[in-house]
Amino acid sequence: MDTSLWHTNPTAAYADWQAREAAGADRRPFSARSIVQHRAMFEHFRRHLLERGATLASFGPEHIAALWHTRAGARHGVATRMRYLKLLDRLCRHLVAIGVRQTNPAAPLVREAHWPEGEPEPIFLPEAADACLQAWVHPAPADDLSQLRSRAIVALFLGTGITVAEGCAAMVGDLHPEAAPPYLRVPAHGARDTRTVHLAPFAVPILAAWQQRRATLPIAGDLIFSMQTTGQAMTVKTLGVIVRAALEAIDFSAADMSPRILRNTFCRRQLLAGHARDDVSAMLGLASPRTCDRIAATIADDAPLQEGIRL
């Protein structure tokens, strides 16, 4: 068996192995979306090793442990770390089998690790607070440029349910508040396919107003929201500060004041409106209905859920 590709081009070797042989614990092939996710995770770990002068043939448990102390790894929750360990365990077992490695440093880490027993309760805006924030995003005659932009940013998250990364990357050409119905096109990225999300009615006036105002500004690039002087994407931190300020403006406080709470609120609003969980998952760009299941569980039994929503 020719194993040279694992030494000369690990990325290509991993893709080839995954396409031909890799499978889950039940020996079933991985889905196309899982394959994309696994390749991204492998590439992230490969670069991690490269920065530390290690290779797939030489890395040890200390290199895996160091992954959690990187800037990106420090943000990984228990479930994400477990997914990395499972991936590295599968990989190392294969590398041992074909003679590229002598040991599997991931094996003892997998045995000691555990999937989280429960997931945290999702945080969302109650219906009254959701209504208040919807009113807050409406454009006002006295708005200056900063205030208009802040309202539009909050409206985009609250009215489409996109992720903060998708908000950072959203382009002017993808936003169509004048269409019938108004919509946002979210390009494919990572494991997520391109999708179209209809804008909530409350978000249309402010997004149309921002789009018109933006067209008059000397902003470089085509991002919907960017740093005016450079045209670079706004940072996650800046967007978080804007969302927090909007929530504080309506006297709402929670443990999570990030754009995530607006995404969860969008999801819950769709479920309350009678949309089936698979459809809502598609709106959110999710392959699994697990997020919708968790948020649907927060809806009281006597809430006005329609057919197809109850789990």
Side-chain angles (χ1 to χ4, degrees), residues 3-68:
T3 61
S4 60
L5 196 61
W6 285 102
H7 300 283
T8 60
N9 192 337
T11 300
Y14 182 83
D16 176 69
W17 169 64
Q18 190 176 43
R20 291 186 298 103
E21 299 181 38
D26 56 3
R27 304 309 304 164
R28 294 175 60 186
F30 292 112
S31 68
R33 178 163 293 193
S34 292
I35 287 174
V36 172
Q37 291 173 334
H38 292 168
R39 289 182 183 176
M41 292 167 66
F42 171 80
E43 190 61 17
H44 176 65
F45 185 70
R46 186 192 68 79
R47 291 196 299 268
H48 169 71
L49 294 180
L50 189 62
E51 292 171 357
R52 285 153 183 79
T55 68
L56 291 179
S58 67
F59 80 85
E62 69 278 10
H63 295 98
I64 300 176
L67 182 64
W68 317 135

Side-chain angles (χ1 to χ4, degrees), residues 137-279:
V137 303
H138 196 78
D143 283 345
D144 60 15
L145 179 63
S146 177
Q147 185 72 348
L148 188 72
R149 185 183 68 172
S150 293
R151 294 190 200 276
I153 286 171
V154 173
L156 189 69
F157 288 121
L158 189 63
T160 64
I162 60 174
T163 67
V164 67
E166 291 167 344
C168 288
M171 308 291 284
V172 171
D174 292 325
L175 178 63
H176 300 274
E178 78 293 343
Y183 69 93
L184 173 73
R185 175 183 175 272
V186 184
H189 62 99
R192 291 181 174 149
D193 297 328
T194 298
R195 69 186 190 278
T196 296
V197 184
H198 292 156
L199 301 178
F202 68 81
V204 174
I206 181 61
L207 290 173
W210 170 252
Q211 195 173 58
Q212 293 170 7
R213 183 68 177 276
R214 187 195 180 285
T216 68
L217 302 173
I219 299 178
D222 296 320
L223 293 170
I224 298 175
F225 304 111
S226 61
M227 307 303 292
Q228 186 171 347
T229 55
T230 64
Q232 294 180 334
M234 300 184 73
T235 65
V236 172
K237 181 179 180 180
T238 299
L239 292 174
V241 168
I242 290 171
V243 170
R244 172 179 285 274
L247 294 172
E248 290 174 346
I250 65 167
D251 295 323
F252 181 84
S253 179
D256 184 356
M257 301 275 275
S258 72
R260 184 186 300 109
I261 194 174
L262 305 187
R263 179 169 164 87
N264 287 347
T265 301
F266 173 88
C267 174
R268 195 170 189 269
R269 191 188 315 122
Q270 305 312 308
L271 294 173
L272 283 168
H275 295 290
R277 64 176 188 168
D278 288 345
D279 293 338

Side-chain angles (χ1 to χ4, degrees), residues 73-154:
R75 296 195 296 267
H76 294 331
V78 176
T80 299
R81 293 187 181 191
M82 190 66 183
R83 292 187 185 97
Y84 266 99
L85 290 176
K86 289 284 190 180
L87 180 147
L88 294 175
D89 181 48
R90 285 193 302 271
L91 172 64
C92 288
R93 281 189 278 112
H94 174 68
L95 295 180
V96 169
I98 63 176
V100 172
R101 291 190 59 91
Q102 298 298 314
T103 62
N104 176 2
L109 300 178
V110 170
R111 287 194 296 268
E112 295 171 2
H114 301 282
W115 288 103
E117 295 182 1
E119 295 182 277
E121 186 78 9
I123 300 177
F124 53 86
L125 297 178
E127 289 92 319
D130 185 15
C132 285
L133 196 58
Q134 291 180 30
W136 183 88
V137 303
H138 196 78
D143 283 345
D144 60 15
L145 179 63
S146 177
Q147 185 72 348
L148 188 72
R149 185 183 68 172
S150 293
R151 294 190 200 276
I153 286 171
V154 173

